Structures are given as structure tokens and as C-alpha cells.
Amino acid sequence: MRILSQRDVRDVVGAEDAFATVEAAWREYGRYRALSSVPPSLGLAGPADGAATHRVKGAVSPTLGAAGFRIATYPGSGPVDRRHVHLVLDYVTGEVVGLVDEEWLHGLRAATQAVVAAARLARRDAKVVGIVGAGRIARELFPGLALRFPLEDVRVAAVPRDNADAYARDLSATGVPVRAVASAEEAIRGADIVVTITTAKAPMVEPGWLAPGALLVSLGGVHEVRHAVLAECDRFVVDDFDYALSRGDMGAWVSAGETTPEALRQRLDADIGEIVAGLKPGRQGPDERILAIIQGLAACDVAMAKLALDRAAEQGRGTVAELPVMP
């Protein structure tokens, strides 16, 4: 098995590799459907006070010949801050292929999903982007968005404001036309593409803010978008419907009694896998408002981890260890 550190992964995986890999994983999901574990996410928490909690997501990729389990650990009272690792196995034989530090790769995957969604659902002439949230995932939206759209104005809002200022300063140094703004409303109004990726305690996308023709991509695992915004949108797209029901906006809407899983399924126009696979249309008109809730497909995680392992093997990166075979 090959073991990759975060530095190994950063050195062998690029933005365009990530785009092609996420797109291929969604295409595969659109065609084969049953790629994720059942249930799609498993939570683990010990009985001790202050113990870390863990979340496991699994998926297979027949095309890549890989299966994988992503393990996310969140801090208790101990020294661990947060950890993401991915265990990759051979899809056919079950042999362990590698263990990948996924802390940075997870952020790249999440941001790349927004870029792939925008490539299919936003207007091709999109010039204005509004970003709400300035954390590690938001930083990975570029250069992907800038390579695909003729961007003239990128606005970022975050709490605290200092985070938005730092984001604008750092991204501006790379040539992205980004500026910090004072509020989510200022970032969103008039934007062609809106991406939310926050840990907000309350929704920050309100009805009446989305311009005609806007695409809103909600990535956060918290409640970011008011339910009433859905009624203003012409199209509604998700990635994994069942997983999206367990968290984020859809989970919050259902928990608050604002809608039901059945009503959301009836309202759904497509999942992004169907669109990438060509089974359902993407954007159909310049004035369509589209809401895409993208909570993270485990098949994209295993595909990204396999990409990192393949690139590392080509370049001789990482640590190779032999697992003993029992007689």
C-alpha cells in the first residue's frame, strides 16, 4: 500500500486533474447510480465525555477499479483538531491500495464540485461571482472558476470581515479580480454565480436576492439558504439526494416542517450526475435561476484519492508499506 501525506497530495494533484476526476465520477454516478455505501454516511461517537466523533462515507468506482472509505474525525477535548483520511482498496480483489491524507484534498474536491456544477449550470458569459464564506474550501474555487468564465468581479463576504479581507488580498495576488464586501447580500445581489460554503448559525441567503439567470451553489453542511428561495428558482439540482436530506439546507427545511422529503423529490429537476452523464439537461435558458445543493458525493472522494495515488506512483512519491498476509 502507498501512504500519502498532505504534502505528497498537494505536489501531485492539480486543479485541472481535479476537475476531470470529479466530472468523471459524477458521470459514472449518473450512469450506474448505486455507488455509495448504505447508509451514505455513518456516524461514530464514543460514550466518553469529550471524545472525538467520526464520520465514515464509502463508495466504489467501477471505472477506476477502486473502492474507498473516507474517515473524518472531529475534535473532542483531545489534541486532534480535525482529520480526514481515505482508505482505498482494489474494487475487485479488496486488496488495500493506499491510505491518503485527505485534509487538503477534501477541500479541493468540495470546491471542484462547485466548479463542475457551474460549468454545467451557469451562463457561459458569467462575469460576476458572489462567495459567502472565506475558509479553506472557498480558497480552492480558483483557478477553476477563473479558467472557465470571463470573470470581472468576484465578491466575498465572511464573518468575521477580516477573513474576507485576507481572502481578497491573497486571491488578488494570483490575478483573480476579488474584493471583500460587507455582507452576504452585497455579495449575492447581481451575481451570476453564487457559492455558499459556511459554518453559519443561521441562513444568509434570503428571497429576492438572486438575479435572473443566477446559479446558486450551496455547499455548506449547515442551513445557508431560506426555504422560500427554492420557490423563486426555476430549476432544483442536488448531488446525492438521500445524503443531502441528512444535513445542510434540505435537512434543515425538513426538520423545521417547511417541506417534506417527498415534496423535495417531486420538486427536483435532476441530480448533477444525470446532467453530467447527458441524461438530463443542464441550463436551458439565460434567465433561469438554478439552485444546486451539493453536499458531497463519496464517489468523488474515492476518485480523488485514487487520482492522488496514481499520480504519486508515477512520480515515486509517498511511503510504500507491505501489509502482512496471514497464512
Side-chain angles (χ1 to χ4, degrees), residues 259-275:
T259 187
T260 65
E262 294 75 19
L264 287 172
R265 196 177 290 278
Q266 291 177 359
R267 178 68 176 82
L268 188 68
D269 291 282
D271 67 54
I272 193 67
E274 293 171 317
I275 291 171

Side-chain angles (χ1 to χ4, degrees), residues 58 103 118 160 209 222 246 254 267 271 287 290 302-303:
E103 181 64 25
W209 290 2
V222 297
S246 71
V254 171
R267 178 68 176 82
D271 67 54
D287 292 329
I290 301 177
V302 68

Side-chain angles (χ1 to χ4, degrees), residues 1-4 95-99 309 317-325:
M1 64 179 290
R2 189 174 299 272
I3 303 171
L4 302 185
E95 179 183 359
V96 177
V97 175
L99 184 66
L309 288 166
R317 298 294 299 263
T319 301
V320 178
E322 294 290 335
L323 291 180
V325 178

Side-chain angles (χ1 to χ4, degrees), residues 52-137:
T53 58
H54 316 273
R55 185 171 294 276
V56 181
K57 295 174 69 177
V60 299
S61 172
T63 301
L64 296 175
F69 294 93
R70 176 174 174 266
I71 305 165
T73 297
Y74 300 96
S77 58
V80 175
D81 179 19
R82 179 183 62 207
R83 191 70 186 240
H84 299 273
V85 296
H86 206 107
L87 182 68
V88 182
L89 304 94
D90 184 282
Y91 172 58
V92 176
T93 68
E95 179 183 359
V96 177
V97 175
L99 184 66
V100 179
D101 184 326
E102 207 189 33
E103 181 64 25
W104 173 76
L105 194 65
H106 163 259
L108 178 63
R109 183 272 293 163
T112 301
Q113 289 191 153
V115 177
V116 176
R120 300 291 176 142
L121 298 173
R123 297 200 319 267
R124 294 186 180 275
D125 63 348
K127 295 179 175 62
V128 180
V129 173
I131 301 171
V132 184
R136 63 189 183 89
I137 294 175

Side-chain angles (χ1 to χ4, degrees), residues 220-244:
V222 297
H223 191 188
E224 297 183 325
V225 180
R226 293 285 185 194
H227 179 247
V229 174
L230 177 60
E232 297 180 338
C233 292
D234 302 290
R235 305 280 304 287
F236 177 41
V237 175
V238 299
D239 51 354
D240 182 326
F241 183 88
D242 291 334
Y243 182 59

Side-chain angles (χ1 to χ4, degrees), residues 19 44 98 199 209 266 291:
F19 184 93
L44 304 171
T199 55
W209 290 2
Q266 291 177 359
L291 170 60

